[in-house]
Amino acid sequence: MTNSTPPKVITSSNQLAALVDDLSAQPAVAVDTESNSLYVYHERVCLIQLSTPNGDYIVDPLADLDLAGLADLFANPDVQKVFHAAEQDVAGIKRDLGCRVVNLFDTMWAARILGWPRVGLGSILEETFGVHTNKRYQRYNWGKRPLDPKALVYARRDTHYLLPLRDLQMEALARAGREQEAAEVFARLAETKPATNPHGPESFWRVKGVHDLTGREQAILWQLYLWRDREASRRDRPPFKIIGTKTLVALAQSRPRRLEELAEVPGLSSYLVRRYGETILELVARGMTSSPPEPPPRFPRPRKAVMARHQALRTWRRQVAA
Protein backbone atom coordinates (compact mmCIF):
# COMPACT_ATOMS: atom_id res chain seq x y z
CA MET A 1 0.00 0.00 0.00
CA THR A 2 1.28 3.44 -0.93
CA ASN A 3 0.09 6.89 -0.01
CA SER A 4 -0.96 7.42 -3.66
CA THR A 5 -3.53 4.61 -3.48
CA PRO A 6 -6.97 6.26 -3.18
CA PRO A 7 -8.96 5.50 -0.02
CA LYS A 8 -12.10 3.40 -0.33
CA VAL A 9 -15.15 5.46 0.62
CA ILE A 10 -17.81 3.48 2.50
CA THR A 11 -21.35 4.70 1.79
CA SER A 12 -23.46 1.52 1.89
CA SER A 13 -24.41 -0.91 4.65
CA ASN A 14 -22.99 -3.87 2.74
CA GLN A 15 -19.65 -2.13 2.31
CA LEU A 16 -19.58 -1.24 6.01
CA ALA A 17 -20.44 -4.76 7.15
CA ALA A 18 -17.61 -6.21 5.04
CA LEU A 19 -15.20 -3.58 6.32
CA VAL A 20 -16.09 -4.21 9.98
CA ASP A 21 -15.50 -7.94 9.47
CA ASP A 22 -12.05 -7.18 8.03
CA LEU A 23 -11.17 -4.66 10.73
CA SER A 24 -12.28 -6.98 13.53
CA ALA A 25 -9.68 -9.52 12.42
CA GLN A 26 -6.85 -6.97 12.64
CA PRO A 27 -4.64 -6.58 15.73
CA ALA A 28 -4.70 -2.80 15.32
CA VAL A 29 -6.60 -0.18 13.29
CA ALA A 30 -5.64 3.46 12.80
CA VAL A 31 -8.53 5.89 13.41
CA ASP A 32 -9.27 9.56 12.89
CA THR A 33 -12.45 11.60 12.54
CA GLU A 34 -13.47 14.88 10.94
CA SER A 35 -16.31 17.00 12.30
CA ASN A 36 -18.08 20.17 11.19
CA SER A 37 -17.90 22.30 14.35
CA LEU A 38 -16.77 25.42 12.46
CA TYR A 39 -19.90 25.39 10.32
CA VAL A 40 -22.86 24.26 12.45
CA TYR A 41 -24.41 24.66 15.89
CA HIS A 42 -25.14 20.94 16.26
CA GLU A 43 -21.74 19.35 15.63
CA ARG A 44 -21.43 15.77 14.42
CA VAL A 45 -18.75 13.43 13.13
CA CYS A 46 -18.80 13.69 9.32
CA LEU A 47 -15.99 11.29 8.39
CA ILE A 48 -14.37 8.32 10.09
CA GLN A 49 -10.98 7.44 8.61
CA LEU A 50 -9.61 3.94 9.20
CA SER A 51 -6.37 2.34 8.05
CA THR A 52 -4.86 -1.14 8.20
CA PRO A 53 -1.78 -2.55 6.46
CA ASN A 54 -4.17 -3.60 3.67
CA GLY A 55 -5.76 -0.26 2.86
CA ASP A 56 -7.24 3.09 3.80
CA TYR A 57 -10.99 3.52 4.28
CA ILE A 58 -13.28 6.48 4.85
CA VAL A 59 -16.70 5.81 6.37
CA ASP A 60 -19.35 8.44 5.61
CA PRO A 61 -21.63 8.71 8.69
CA LEU A 62 -23.88 11.11 6.76
CA ALA A 63 -24.77 8.36 4.25
CA ASP A 64 -27.57 6.94 6.44
CA LEU A 65 -25.51 3.98 7.63
CA ASP A 66 -26.15 1.76 10.63
CA LEU A 67 -22.93 2.29 12.57
CA ALA A 68 -23.62 -0.36 15.23
CA GLY A 69 -20.94 -2.67 13.81
CA LEU A 70 -18.40 0.12 13.95
CA ALA A 71 -19.42 0.88 17.53
CA ASP A 72 -18.75 -2.77 18.40
CA LEU A 73 -15.29 -2.46 16.84
CA PHE A 74 -14.40 0.55 19.01
CA ALA A 75 -15.49 -1.41 22.10
CA ASN A 76 -13.60 -4.56 21.07
CA PRO A 77 -10.64 -5.08 23.46
CA ASP A 78 -8.91 -7.41 20.99
CA VAL A 79 -8.38 -4.65 18.38
CA GLN A 80 -6.14 -1.74 19.30
CA LYS A 81 -7.38 1.64 18.06
CA VAL A 82 -4.50 3.96 17.14
CA PHE A 83 -5.22 7.70 17.19
CA HIS A 84 -3.16 10.88 17.09
CA ALA A 85 -4.48 13.35 19.70
CA ALA A 86 -7.38 11.06 20.55
CA GLU A 87 -9.39 13.16 23.00
CA GLN A 88 -11.70 15.01 20.60
CA ASP A 89 -12.08 11.97 18.35
CA VAL A 90 -13.04 9.74 21.26
CA ALA A 91 -15.50 12.33 22.60
CA GLY A 92 -17.19 12.65 19.20
CA ILE A 93 -17.31 8.89 18.62
CA LYS A 94 -18.89 8.31 22.03
CA ARG A 95 -21.47 11.05 21.44
CA ASP A 96 -22.50 9.98 17.93
CA LEU A 97 -22.09 6.19 18.13
CA GLY A 98 -23.04 5.76 21.78
CA CYS A 99 -20.21 3.34 22.43
CA ARG A 100 -17.11 2.81 24.53
CA VAL A 101 -13.61 3.05 23.12
CA VAL A 102 -11.37 0.29 24.46
CA ASN A 103 -7.67 -0.54 23.88
CA LEU A 104 -6.38 2.81 22.67
CA PHE A 105 -2.92 3.98 21.57
CA ASP A 106 -2.23 7.69 21.05
CA THR A 107 0.81 8.57 18.93
CA MET A 108 0.79 12.21 20.11
CA TRP A 109 0.96 11.20 23.75
CA ALA A 110 3.56 8.56 22.97
CA ALA A 111 5.66 11.30 21.36
CA ARG A 112 5.27 13.47 24.47
CA ILE A 113 6.25 10.63 26.81
CA LEU A 114 9.29 9.93 24.64
CA GLY A 115 10.30 13.60 24.82
CA TRP A 116 10.02 14.31 21.10
CA PRO A 117 10.46 18.07 20.54
CA ARG A 118 7.51 18.35 18.12
CA VAL A 119 4.37 16.28 18.60
CA GLY A 120 1.99 17.60 15.94
CA LEU A 121 1.10 14.99 13.35
CA GLY A 122 2.30 17.12 10.44
CA SER A 123 5.70 17.64 12.04
CA ILE A 124 6.06 13.96 12.97
CA LEU A 125 5.12 12.75 9.48
CA GLU A 126 7.58 15.16 7.90
CA GLU A 127 10.43 14.22 10.22
CA THR A 128 9.74 10.45 10.31
CA PHE A 129 8.40 9.65 6.84
CA GLY A 130 9.32 12.72 4.76
CA VAL A 131 5.64 13.52 4.17
CA HIS A 132 4.67 17.16 3.65
CA THR A 133 1.18 18.26 4.66
CA ASN A 134 -1.13 20.41 2.57
CA LYS A 135 -2.80 22.67 5.14
CA ARG A 136 -5.44 23.87 2.68
CA TYR A 137 -8.08 21.52 4.08
CA GLN A 138 -7.54 22.14 7.80
CA ARG A 139 -10.71 24.29 7.94
CA TYR A 140 -12.65 22.35 5.31
CA ASN A 141 -16.40 21.88 5.77
CA TRP A 142 -16.55 18.09 6.17
CA GLY A 143 -20.33 18.20 6.41
CA LYS A 144 -20.95 19.24 2.83
CA ARG A 145 -21.55 16.73 0.07
CA PRO A 146 -20.17 15.80 -2.39
CA LEU A 147 -16.70 15.86 -0.86
CA ASP A 148 -13.77 17.22 -2.82
CA PRO A 149 -11.62 14.22 -3.90
CA LYS A 150 -8.52 16.18 -2.84
CA ALA A 151 -10.06 16.61 0.62
CA LEU A 152 -10.45 12.83 0.86
CA VAL A 153 -6.77 12.40 0.02
CA TYR A 154 -5.96 14.89 2.79
CA ALA A 155 -8.26 13.06 5.24
CA ARG A 156 -6.71 9.65 4.61
CA ARG A 157 -3.23 10.97 5.39
CA ASP A 158 -4.23 11.33 9.05
CA THR A 159 -4.41 7.54 9.45
CA HIS A 160 -2.23 6.18 6.62
CA TYR A 161 1.02 6.35 8.62
CA LEU A 162 -0.28 5.82 12.16
CA LEU A 163 0.33 2.07 12.37
CA PRO A 164 4.02 2.19 11.29
CA LEU A 165 4.43 5.22 13.57
CA ARG A 166 2.94 3.25 16.47
CA ASP A 167 5.38 0.39 15.80
CA LEU A 168 8.34 2.79 16.01
CA GLN A 169 7.00 4.34 19.20
CA MET A 170 6.26 1.02 20.88
CA GLU A 171 9.88 -0.03 20.37
CA ALA A 172 11.10 3.32 21.70
CA LEU A 173 8.80 3.12 24.74
CA ALA A 174 10.08 -0.37 25.51
CA ARG A 175 13.71 0.74 25.26
CA ALA A 176 13.03 3.68 27.55
CA GLY A 177 11.07 1.61 30.06
CA ARG A 178 8.04 3.89 29.62
CA GLU A 179 5.45 1.34 28.45
CA GLN A 180 3.49 1.32 31.70
CA GLU A 181 3.40 5.12 31.86
CA ALA A 182 2.05 5.23 28.30
CA ALA A 183 -0.54 2.55 29.04
CA GLU A 184 -1.88 4.57 31.97
CA VAL A 185 -2.21 7.70 29.80
CA PHE A 186 -3.96 5.75 27.04
CA ALA A 187 -6.40 4.25 29.54
CA ARG A 188 -7.31 7.75 30.79
CA LEU A 189 -7.88 8.94 27.22
CA ALA A 190 -10.20 6.01 26.57
CA GLU A 191 -12.36 7.27 29.47
CA THR A 192 -12.89 10.68 27.82
CA LYS A 193 -16.51 11.76 28.27
CA PRO A 194 -18.83 12.01 25.25
CA ALA A 195 -18.74 15.43 23.59
CA THR A 196 -21.39 17.94 24.61
CA ASN A 197 -22.62 21.07 22.87
CA PRO A 198 -20.15 23.87 23.74
CA HIS A 199 -22.83 26.50 23.20
CA GLY A 200 -26.00 27.21 25.15
CA PRO A 201 -26.81 29.48 28.11
CA GLU A 202 -24.36 27.57 30.34
CA SER A 203 -21.48 29.14 28.40
CA PHE A 204 -22.49 32.73 29.21
CA TRP A 205 -20.12 33.20 32.12
CA ARG A 206 -17.21 32.02 29.96
CA VAL A 207 -17.55 35.02 27.64
CA LYS A 208 -14.31 36.96 27.66
CA GLY A 209 -14.75 40.18 29.63
CA VAL A 210 -18.17 39.35 31.09
CA HIS A 211 -16.91 39.72 34.67
CA ASP A 212 -15.61 43.22 33.89
CA LEU A 213 -19.08 44.49 32.93
CA THR A 214 -21.48 46.26 35.26
CA GLY A 215 -24.59 44.43 36.40
CA ARG A 216 -26.72 46.36 33.91
CA GLU A 217 -24.33 45.55 31.06
CA GLN A 218 -24.36 41.89 32.05
CA ALA A 219 -28.18 41.92 31.96
CA ILE A 220 -28.17 43.36 28.43
CA LEU A 221 -25.51 40.92 27.30
CA TRP A 222 -27.54 38.04 28.75
CA GLN A 223 -30.57 38.96 26.64
CA LEU A 224 -28.43 39.28 23.51
CA TYR A 225 -26.61 36.03 24.27
CA LEU A 226 -29.81 34.01 24.74
CA TRP A 227 -31.28 35.37 21.52
CA ARG A 228 -28.11 34.63 19.53
CA ASP A 229 -27.98 31.08 20.88
CA ARG A 230 -31.59 30.43 19.86
CA GLU A 231 -30.98 31.91 16.41
CA ALA A 232 -27.79 29.86 15.94
CA SER A 233 -29.59 26.66 16.97
CA ARG A 234 -32.53 27.40 14.67
CA ARG A 235 -30.27 28.10 11.69
CA ASP A 236 -27.77 25.39 12.70
CA ARG A 237 -24.85 27.77 12.47
CA PRO A 238 -22.07 28.52 14.99
CA PRO A 239 -23.07 31.46 17.19
CA PHE A 240 -20.08 33.52 16.05
CA LYS A 241 -21.47 33.37 12.50
CA ILE A 242 -24.67 35.05 13.67
CA ILE A 243 -22.96 37.94 15.49
CA GLY A 244 -19.50 37.95 17.04
CA THR A 245 -19.17 37.79 20.81
CA LYS A 246 -17.07 40.99 20.93
CA THR A 247 -19.90 42.77 19.13
CA LEU A 248 -22.41 41.53 21.71
CA VAL A 249 -20.20 42.91 24.50
CA ALA A 250 -19.87 46.24 22.64
CA LEU A 251 -23.66 46.42 22.33
CA ALA A 252 -24.06 45.76 26.06
CA GLN A 253 -21.61 48.55 26.83
CA SER A 254 -22.97 51.13 24.36
CA ARG A 255 -26.69 50.45 25.07
CA PRO A 256 -27.99 51.77 21.70
CA ARG A 257 -31.59 53.04 21.52
CA ARG A 258 -31.92 53.96 17.84
CA LEU A 259 -31.09 52.17 14.62
CA GLU A 260 -28.58 54.82 13.56
CA GLU A 261 -26.56 54.17 16.73
CA LEU A 262 -26.04 50.55 15.71
CA ALA A 263 -23.86 51.57 12.78
CA GLU A 264 -21.26 52.81 15.27
CA VAL A 265 -20.92 49.43 17.03
CA PRO A 266 -17.74 47.56 15.95
CA GLY A 267 -18.50 44.37 14.03
CA LEU A 268 -22.11 45.26 13.28
CA SER A 269 -22.29 45.50 9.49
CA SER A 270 -25.04 47.27 7.57
CA TYR A 271 -26.39 43.84 6.61
CA LEU A 272 -26.66 42.81 10.29
CA VAL A 273 -28.32 46.11 11.15
CA ARG A 274 -30.91 45.58 8.41
CA ARG A 275 -31.54 41.97 9.43
CA TYR A 276 -31.40 42.17 13.22
CA GLY A 277 -31.45 45.87 14.11
CA GLU A 278 -34.99 46.09 15.51
CA THR A 279 -34.51 42.83 17.44
CA ILE A 280 -31.25 44.05 18.95
CA LEU A 281 -32.85 47.29 20.13
CA GLU A 282 -35.70 45.34 21.75
CA LEU A 283 -33.19 43.07 23.52
CA VAL A 284 -31.15 46.01 24.78
CA ALA A 285 -34.31 47.63 26.12
CA ARG A 286 -35.31 44.37 27.81
CA GLY A 287 -31.88 44.12 29.39
CA MET A 288 -32.28 47.62 30.83
CA THR A 289 -35.10 46.39 33.06
CA SER A 290 -34.08 42.78 33.75
CA SER A 291 -31.40 41.03 35.78
CA PRO A 292 -28.43 38.92 34.67
CA PRO A 293 -28.30 35.24 35.63
CA GLU A 294 -26.70 34.25 38.89
CA PRO A 295 -22.93 33.87 38.39
CA PRO A 296 -21.32 30.55 39.26
CA PRO A 297 -19.96 30.35 42.81
CA ARG A 298 -16.42 31.52 43.28
CA PHE A 299 -14.34 29.30 45.45
CA PRO A 300 -12.43 31.10 48.21
CA ARG A 301 -8.72 31.57 47.66
CA PRO A 302 -6.74 28.83 49.45
CA ARG A 303 -4.77 29.73 52.57
CA LYS A 304 -1.14 30.80 52.16
CA ALA A 305 0.14 27.49 53.52
CA VAL A 306 -1.87 25.57 50.91
CA MET A 307 -0.59 27.84 48.12
CA ALA A 308 2.98 27.32 49.31
CA ARG A 309 2.58 23.53 49.20
CA HIS A 310 1.03 23.82 45.74
CA GLN A 311 3.98 25.86 44.48
CA ALA A 312 6.46 23.41 46.00
CA LEU A 313 4.71 20.51 44.26
CA ARG A 314 4.75 22.35 40.92
CA THR A 315 8.47 23.01 41.30
CA TRP A 316 9.10 19.35 42.12
CA ARG A 317 7.02 18.26 39.12
CA ARG A 318 9.02 20.49 36.76
CA GLN A 319 12.27 19.03 38.04
CA VAL A 320 11.06 15.44 37.65
CA ALA A 321 9.66 16.15 34.19
CA ALA A 322 12.98 17.66 33.07
Side-chain angles (χ1 to χ4, degrees):
M1 179 184 64
T2 67
N3 195 32
S4 60
T5 307
K8 183 174 182 179
V9 181
I10 307 299
T11 57
S12 75
S13 297
N14 289 338
Q15 289 177 319
L16 183 58
L19 175 61
V20 169
D21 285 344
D22 177 47
L23 298 178
S24 299
Q26 300 289 331
V29 175
V31 186
D32 188 42
T33 66
E34 304 293 349
S35 299
N36 56 349
S37 60
L38 292 176
Y39 297 92
V40 297
Y41 183 93
H42 304 284
E43 178 189 8
R44 63 181 298 185
V45 173
C46 299
L47 289 187
I48 303 175
Q49 303 101 288
L50 303 148
S51 290
T52 71
N54 302 324
D56 300 309
Y57 310 91
I58 293 181
V59 175
D60 185 356
L62 306 188
D64 195 25
L65 298 174
D66 182 357
L67 300 176
L70 208 52
D72 291 340
L73 175 75
F74 287 122
N76 185 346
D78 297 325
V79 181
Q80 186 176 64
K81 276 64 70 174
V82 182
F83 295 83
H84 186 88
E87 190 169 1
Q88 285 190 336
D89 299 309
V90 171
I93 288 169
K94 288 185 175 182
R95 177 196 62 211
D96 291 2
L97 275 66
C99 65
R100 298 184 303 141
V101 177
V102 179
N103 191 1
L104 179 153
F105 187 103
D106 189 321
T107 55
M108 184 191 75
W109 273 98
R112 286 180 169 175
I113 293 167
L114 291 167
W116 290 10
R118 297 201 293 174
V119 300
L121 184 58
S123 299
I124 290 176
L125 294 185
E126 184 174 344
E127 293 171 1
T128 308
F129 301 106
V131 175
H132 298 278
T133 303
N134 181 355
K135 297 183 179 181
R136 173 184 173 187
Y137 294 97
Q138 284 185 334
R139 299 175 70 85
Y140 185 74
N141 183 1
W142 299 103
K144 75 176 186 178
R145 297 294 184 271
L147 289 160
D148 182 344
K150 293 182 179 178
L152 292 174
V153 172
Y154 169 88
R156 63 86 60 88
R157 180 224 61 160
D158 288 341
T159 56
H160 181 79
Y161 295 95
L162 288 189
L163 293 183
L165 175 59
R166 180 210 62 158
D167 293 343
L168 293 172
Q169 291 180 328
M170 287 181 67
E171 292 177 6
L173 289 167
R175 289 195 302 270
R178 311 293 287 275
E179 293 170 295
Q180 182 59 36
E181 180 182 350
E184 292 172 1
V185 171
F186 301 157
R188 287 199 299 271
L189 288 170
E191 295 301 319
T192 299
K193 300 293 185 184
T196 57
N197 194 320
H199 313 303
E202 302 80 14
S203 302
F204 175 74
W205 291 106
R206 294 199 292 271
V207 169
K208 186 175 181 181
V210 66
H211 294 285
D212 298 325
L213 301 177
T214 66
R216 179 56 49 217
E217 291 167 346
Q218 288 176 348
I220 296 171
L221 181 61
W222 175 238
Q223 296 299 324
L224 292 165
Y225 193 86
L226 289 177
W227 162 78
R228 184 185 69 167
D229 191 73
R230 290 192 299 268
E231 184 72 3
S233 178
R234 182 183 68 82
R235 296 176 59 191
D236 196 19
R237 301 193 69 193
F240 75 88
K241 288 195 174 183
I242 304 299
I243 294 180
T245 303
K246 288 183 178 180
T247 301
L248 294 187
V249 173
L251 283 166
Q253 292 174 316
S254 59
R255 310 182 193 185
R257 297 183 178 183
R258 297 184 297 275
L259 283 174
E260 53 267 28
E261 295 177 42
L262 295 177
E264 302 174 6
V265 178
L268 208 57
S269 66
S270 57
Y271 166 77
L272 291 175
V273 172
R274 288 195 305 272
R275 180 162 189 173
Y276 298 126
E278 294 290 350
T279 299
I280 289 172
L281 293 179
E282 291 175 10
L283 294 164
V284 170
R286 188 182 305 166
M288 291 294 293
T289 58
S290 62
S291 301
E294 285 292 324
R298 293 193 176 188
F299 296 102
R301 183 176 176 83
R303 293 177 289 108
K304 287 185 178 180
V306 175
M307 293 298 293
R309 288 197 295 272
H310 179 253
Q311 186 58 46
L313 285 165
R314 291 183 63 188
T315 301
W316 165 80
R317 184 179 65 173
R318 281 198 300 269
Q319 292 170 348
V320 173

